[in-house]
Amino acid sequence: MLILRRKAGESLILNGNIKVTVLEGGSDGVRLAIDAPKEVQILREELVEATKANREAAADKEKLKELLEKLRKGKA
């Protein structure tokens, strides 16, 4: 992990084509501007984690349905 200190108005370049600029910083957080090609997906980490949790829950629900169906067939 690379840790950098940037001030408002300063930028960094990722992969040669993604520019991240600090717009402002304060005690409640930092505002960033990200300039990247359209094909680069930019997501907040909490949304990625929520999506992952939802997919896992859906998969677990599907597994439970399959198990219940097998149990019903076994009892019939």
Side-chain angles (χ1 to χ4, degrees):
M1 176 185 294
L2 174 66
I3 299 173
L4 300 172
R5 182 173 301 209
R6 302 273 73 201
K7 296 177 182 177
E10 295 180 334
S11 301
L12 59 106
I13 305 294
L14 303 172
N15 203 35
N17 63 348
I18 301 169
K19 182 178 180 180
V20 180
T21 303
V22 177
L23 297 179
E24 64 182 52
S27 61
D28 62 337
V30 176
R31 289 186 60 216
L32 300 173
I34 304 170
D35 184 18
K38 289 182 181 182
E39 63 270 9
V40 174
Q41 187 177 44
I42 302 170
L43 298 171
R44 294 184 322 223
E45 182 179 16
E46 61 271 19
L47 295 180
V48 173
E49 294 299 323
T51 300
K52 180 180 174 185
N54 285 338
R55 286 186 182 144
E56 289 173 358
D60 289 346
K61 186 177 179 181
E62 241 351 271
K63 288 178 186 176
L64 182 57
K65 282 182 183 180
E66 291 172 11
L67 179 59
L68 287 173
E69 188 61 32
K70 286 180 183 177
L71 288 173
R72 285 185 187 126
K73 286 181 180 179
K75 290 183 178 180

